[in-house]
Amino acid sequence: MALDDLTLTRKEGFAAFAEAPEHPRPPDLTITEVKGMKDEAADKHNRWRRSYLSNLRPIRTDQAKALVEDLADVFEAGLDQPNWEAKGMAAVDAFPGLGKTTVGLSFAKKVHNDLIRENGRFTTAGQERWPVIRVGMRGDTRVKDFNWALLEFFAHAGQRSGTANSFLARALDCAISCESRLLLVDDVHFLKFRSARGTELANEFKTIANEFPLMILFIGYDLEKKGLYDDPQLGRRITPLGLAPFTIDHEAGRMQWRNFLLSLEQRLVLAGKWEGMLADDLSDYLYARCTGHIGSLMQLIRRGCLRAIRNGDECITEALMADVTLDREAAEQRAQWEALLASGKKTSKPRRRARRET
Ligand SMILES: Nc1ncnc2c1ncn2[C@@H]1O[C@H](COP(=O)(O)OP(=O)(O)OP(=O)(O)O)[C@@H](O)[C@H]1O
Ligand SMILES: [Mg+2]
């Protein structure tokens, strides 16, 4: 089932995302079955495969698992803290396309579902429970815009007029009455903390951490350079966290890469696929093409699968992938990695074969 058009800037959209059932997997057919389908049935099957591919459940990579553990530490430590103590803050800072938003949202999804399951959909005072608030930043966000976005998330009637402070006071009322416990602020790199406006925002975040009963999770890249930690109090309170690309310099890293490819190939619904199609036969090739960046790799795999479905190959090979173009950054680094891997100086394959995981 596809998500509707609600966006994550509103609580209803966030709930739709967090509570959506897993996208059903299309049936695994044989090549003969696929080729024997009538046009209409084939169209339906292929549309299903396309939407399934766009809604793949995130793969629990080792990097993602470690990050979620760290987030849970900060979050759980704040849950039973007295109200007058400032709650924890964490910042996930990593290059674009490494899965920050994906991991942040899946953590937020878990918080939403866990707290509703444990405490009910309504608070004891009879208000709807909204464990998570999510705000996305834009280049020109000021304190008032940010506070407005908090109210927008709650679709609060009082968002039409007021001062920055009155917006914040209303947002605080919402967060308290809806028992919100996590504020996710994505794309924080858009903010220029080293400007008058940025200092105001930094101060506003401190106020929120002091007054609101929730953990703030910042997500962005280059946050240190952008000045997020310039303020001594923020520097002390924010736990900096990262998300690394896959690396193949060590055996452990190569094992992680292989495990990831094994999980990924199990998710693919292609009639002609075989065990090891990605993990054995394309390991080096895929690494060179994405240089360990999950975002580029997922893009490549999605495009490759759609092409394999369209042209009837029903499997992924180097020849098919050769025609799939990718983002500029990945294309730039590709030649260097291809040379290294071809020369035998590097390999992406572990010496010991990892077991297939389910
Ligand atoms: N664990 C995962 N499993 C499967 N796909 C993933 C995973 N992590 C990320 N992806 C895919 O990689 C792409 C980039 O991820 P995401 O948008 O989360 O990155 P980001 O670090 O937030 O990037 P940006 O800095 O550009 O916002 C997405 O298409 C996402 O579906
Ligand atoms: Mg992102």
Side-chain angles (χ1 to χ4, degrees):
M1 196 191 312
L3 290 178
D4 57 25
D5 291 333
L6 288 169
T7 74
L8 298 181
T9 51
R10 284 280 180 91
K11 61 185 180 350
E12 289 78 11
F14 183 80
F17 154 78
E19 295 174 21
E22 200 170 306
H23 201 285
R25 184 186 169 104
D28 284 289
L29 305 177
T30 62
I31 292 269
T32 326
E33 284 167 332
V34 169
K35 303 268 184 238
M37 274 177 151
K38 296 243 163 37
D39 284 353
E40 206 175 310
D43 280 351
K44 195 170 156 220
H45 181 63
N46 293 346
R47 274 202 308 276
W48 188 355
R49 290 200 283 178
R50 193 181 63 201
S51 64
Y52 169 73
L53 204 54
S54 303
N55 291 283
L56 282 185
R57 188 163 38 90
I59 294 171
R60 285 169 53 80
T61 61
D62 286 327
Q63 294 92 321
K65 274 192 241 170
L67 175 55
V68 166
E69 279 288 304
D70 287 334
L71 292 175
D73 286 346
V74 180
F75 181 71
E76 285 176 20
L79 271 184
D80 302 304
Q81 243 178 305
N83 276 346
W84 58 87
E85 280 186 15
K87 301 292 176 294
M89 287 187 261
V92 179
D93 187 347
F95 281 120
L98 287 176
K100 301 181 293 294
T101 300
T102 306
V103 177
L105 282 176
S106 61
F107 178 71
K109 173 177 173 164
K110 186 170 159 20
V111 167
H112 173 93
N113 290 318
D114 284 357
L115 291 187
I116 287 182
R117 193 181 53 249
E118 285 163 20
N119 305 300
R121 204 164 268 285
F122 292 91
T123 66
T124 25
Q127 290 285 340
E128 278 184 6
R129 182 182 308 282
W130 288 105
V132 176
I133 307 172
R134 182 206 160 272
V135 175
M137 292 302 207
R138 285 178 312 185
D140 56 353
T141 309
R142 301 169 214 220
V143 166
K144 190 169 174 185
D145 302 315
F146 181 80
N147 297 350
W148 180 89
L150 290 174
L151 290 180
E152 169 72 2
F153 186 82
F154 286 102
H156 191 288
Q159 72 187 154
R160 286 190 203 98
S161 65
T163 60
N165 281 343
S166 64
F167 280 179
L168 190 69
R170 285 170 208 154
L172 178 59
D173 283 344
C174 291
I176 290 177
S177 61
C178 301
E179 299 191 359
S180 304
R181 293 290 176 259
L182 176 69
L183 168 61
L184 192 153
V185 190
D186 203 352
D187 292 325
V188 178
H189 45 260
F190 280 136
L191 300 180
K192 297 184 186 73
F193 284 95
R194 289 176 182 157
S195 69
R197 201 179 275 183
T199 313
E200 279 171 33
L201 265 168
N203 287 333
E204 195 73 349
F205 288 140
K206 280 193 282 183
T207 307
I208 294 174
N210 289 339
E211 306 296 335
F212 282 50
L214 43 73
M215 163 183 164
I216 309 180
L217 168 55
F218 298 104
I219 296 180
Y221 69 89
D222 239 358
L223 300 182
E224 187 163 352
K225 261 207 202 126
K226 297 272 152 69
L228 178 64
Y229 305 107
D230 284 4
D231 179 282
Q233 274 184 312
L234 285 183
R236 271 280 158 203
R237 289 197 196 160
I238 300 176
T239 307
L241 300 169
L243 198 55
F246 290 101
T247 48
I248 53 169
D249 291 338
H250 307 288
E251 182 71 359
R254 291 188 287 267
M255 285 289 263
Q256 287 176 2
W257 173 243
R258 182 174 162 78
N259 278 333
F260 169 71
L261 292 180
L262 286 171
S263 305
L264 180 56
E265 65 182 34
Q266 283 178 335
R267 304 264 175 107
L268 306 182
V269 185
L270 291 174
K273 76 172 186 180
W274 61 90
E275 213 176 296
M277 176 179 74
L278 304 183
D280 291 330
D281 298 352
L282 290 177
S283 178
D284 281 356
Y285 178 79
L286 293 175
Y287 193 87
R289 291 230 40 195
C290 74
T291 55
H293 284 69
I294 196 166
S296 303
L297 180 79
M298 294 306 289
Q299 198 68 268
L300 179 62
I301 295 293
R302 279 193 197 106
R303 291 180 189 175
C305 280
L306 294 175
R307 203 174 262 256
I309 292 171
R310 244 185 354 255
N311 70 11
D313 280 10
E314 292 289 336
C315 63
I316 292 191
T317 57
E318 213 173 300
L320 176 120
M321 289 300 212
D323 293 334
V324 180
T325 34
L326 262 189
D327 58 272
R328 188 176 156 276
E329 194 61 32
E332 285 220 326
Q333 297 192 21
R334 176 180 173 184
Q336 180 202 343
W337 274 98
E338 272 179 348
L340 270 175
L341 289 160
S343 69
K345 286 192 191 124
K346 293 249 181 221
T347 172
S348 69
K349 294 182 186 171
R351 273 188 301 278
R352 271 188 314 115
R353 288 283 203 78
R355 269 187 306 113
R356 281 177 72 83
E357 283 190 333
T358 46

